[in-house]
């Protein structure tokens, strides 16, 4: 029997974005543009490519602009039409009525708590999670990270997380897996630990911002105490599910940019600008000139 399809995605976007202050004092981190699309747009496009229909945003104070981005800007569209401007630039922001849902996390108590805030909308279905500040870019002609995960889920069911390898000295900033058997891009997950000291890290494979989880995780989160950094951690709740349900990691065949950090954000901007047919050649010439 094939597993229940993934129709819902949760986007936790209630964090404070302190690493990007003062830019994020008023503008949510998820609305910072990489070239001409806000970060949240890349994540929603990736979800749609994977066949996901419902987008559930876990927002907080000052974050309503994220939901409005997927609404119709009536005056803007009317004025653009009157001036004969091309409205198709707004196509990525169109959403099926009823399929954009916002729930509130009143206090940012941690990623695990943010996900738990979506429990009533997720209900009794498996669901995807996207951390939009991790920008996952498909290889040319390839598929996005969540599509690769949904394809693996179709064979394996259970829970899946995307992972990537980093130099061992960097692992203490991330969730890290204890790997079991590896076959191609798939690794069995035997354990998970959030922000371990380097000496205690079970591997250099870090969890990288995309998840497919079974709804039982909500019940684990309900009783989940604070973990690393004093926050309610999703990693700790997932760790408790290992052994009770299948748990696998998928190594994404593509590029990942950590847009939660300033250097990662600049890297993503350069990489995407260089790959764009409408501007790549100009940006390359400018970059080479600056490097002289
Ligand atoms: P981050 O660790 O990147 O935190 O959260 P942040 O607040 O966005 O940014 P910094 O570290 O202060 O610069 C990872 C993801 O989890 C969400 C964030 O919005 C981000 O998408 N998050 C985190 C919540 O929604 N609620 C929380 O309580 C914590």
């Amino acid at each position: 029997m094939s597993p229940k399809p993934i129709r819902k995605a949760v986007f936790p976007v209630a964090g404070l974005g302190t690493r990007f202050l003062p830019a994020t004092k008023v503008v949510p981190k998820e609305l910072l543009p990489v070239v001409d699309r806000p970060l949240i747009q890349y994540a929603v496009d990736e979800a749609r490519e994977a066949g996901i229909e419902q987008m559930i945003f876990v927002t907080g104070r000052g974050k309503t602009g994220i939901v409005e981005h997927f609404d119709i800007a009536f005056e803007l569209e009317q004025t653009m039409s009157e001036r004969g401007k091309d409205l198709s630039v707004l196509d990525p922001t169109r959403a099926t009525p009823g399929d954009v849902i916002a729930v509130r996390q009143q206090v940012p108590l941690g990623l695990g708590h943010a996900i738990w805030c979506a429990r009533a909308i997720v209900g009794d279905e498996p669901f995807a999670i996207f951390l939009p500040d991790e920008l996952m870019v498909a290889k040319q002609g390839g598929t996005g990270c969540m599509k690769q995960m949904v394809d693996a889920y179709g064979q394996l069911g259970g829970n899946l997380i995307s992972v990537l390898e980093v130099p061992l000295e960097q692992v203490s900033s991330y969730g890290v897996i204890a790997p079991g058997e590896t076959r191609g891009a798939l690794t069995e997950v035997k354990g998970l630990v959030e922000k371990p000291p380097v000496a205690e890290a079970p591997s250099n494979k870090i969890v990288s911002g995309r998840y497919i989880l079974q709804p039982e995780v909500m019940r684990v989160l309900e009783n989940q105490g604070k973990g690393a950094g004093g926050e309610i951690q999703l990693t700790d709740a997932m760790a408790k599910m290992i052994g009770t349900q299948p748990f696998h990691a998928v190594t994404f065949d593509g590029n990942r940019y950590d847009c939660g950090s300033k250097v990662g954000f600049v890297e993503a901007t350069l990489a995407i600008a260089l790959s764009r047919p409408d501007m790549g050649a100009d940006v390359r010439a400018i970059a080479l000139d600056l490097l002289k």
Side-chain angles (χ1 to χ4, degrees):
M1 204 175 72
S2 51
K4 272 191 187 174
I6 308 298
R7 302 185 312 126
K8 300 179 178 183
V10 177
F11 301 83
V13 291
L16 298 175
T18 54
R19 283 172 290 167
F20 262 96
L21 286 169
T24 47
K25 184 178 173 194
V26 177
V27 179
K29 175 168 73 174
E30 297 78 10
L31 289 182
L32 298 180
V34 173
V35 184
D36 52 7
R37 286 178 181 224
L39 275 174
I40 192 69
Q41 183 75 62
Y42 290 93
V44 165
D45 290 350
E46 187 188 325
R48 287 176 174 153
E49 183 208 12
I52 293 170
E53 296 152 17
Q54 272 189 12
M55 312 297 164
I56 306 163
F57 299 108
V58 181
T59 69
R61 266 171 63 76
K63 297 279 187 157
T64 44
I66 296 168
V67 183
E68 281 180 30
H69 178 74
F70 295 97
D71 205 348
I72 289 180
F74 180 73
E75 287 149 4
L76 172 69
E77 295 197 14
Q78 174 139 354
T79 308
M80 283 176 72
S81 291
E82 283 166 9
R83 293 183 186 168
K85 291 200 186 286
D86 177 14
L87 284 175
S88 69
V89 287
L90 293 169
D91 284 351
T93 70
R94 312 264 181 231
T96 308
D99 274 354
V100 170
I101 298 154
V103 296
R104 224 46 191 183
Q105 183 192 28
Q106 285 81 358
V107 185
L109 297 178
L111 176 59
H113 182 260
I115 300 304
W116 181 73
C117 290
R119 65 198 178 284
I121 314 292
V122 166
D124 197 25
E125 282 188 43
F127 64 105
I129 300 173
F130 291 75
L131 307 194
D133 54 4
E134 299 212 28
L135 180 47
M136 310 296 249
V137 180
K139 283 188 176 161
Q140 203 159 20
T143 55
C145 183
M146 186 52 71
K147 173 82 175 88
Q148 291 178 19
M149 292 173 71
V150 164
D151 289 346
Y153 170 79
Q155 298 165 18
L156 299 165
N159 302 272
L160 285 113
I161 50 182
S162 82
V163 291
L164 61 97
E165 292 188 26
V166 296
L168 196 60
E169 58 273 17
Q170 291 177 17
V171 291
S172 36
S173 308
Y174 302 97
V176 181
I177 68 162
E181 196 192 332
T182 297
R183 271 179 295 118
L186 292 176
T187 302
E188 197 189 343
V189 179
K190 297 265 196 197
L192 273 164
V193 50
E194 184 66 32
K195 301 188 175 65
V198 173
E200 289 165 30
S203 75
N204 67 338
K205 289 191 178 196
I206 62 159
V207 183
S208 66
R210 300 289 182 274
Y211 313 72
I212 291 175
L213 297 179
Q214 296 298 317
E216 287 76 21
V217 73
M218 293 299 190
R219 293 194 266 293
V220 182
L221 282 168
E222 195 156 331
N223 301 307
Q224 184 64 52
K226 289 179 181 169
E231 297 194 348
I232 298 175
Q233 297 287 359
L234 179 62
T235 305
D236 296 340
M238 292 190 303
K240 288 187 185 145
M241 295 182 44
I242 297 167
T244 65
Q245 295 182 345
F247 221 113
H248 292 89
V250 179
T251 302
F252 172 46
D253 184 23
N255 292 310
R256 171 258 195 188
Y257 303 99
D258 178 8
C259 290
S261 87
K262 287 174 223 180
V263 172
F265 194 94
V266 172
E267 183 190 11
T269 304
L270 251 182
I272 289 188
L274 286 168
S275 72
R276 287 259 301 244
D278 59 332
M279 64 173 73
D282 289 345
V283 174
R284 168 177 280 273
I286 291 166
L288 289 173
D289 196 40
L290 286 171
L291 287 169
K292 265 185 207 154

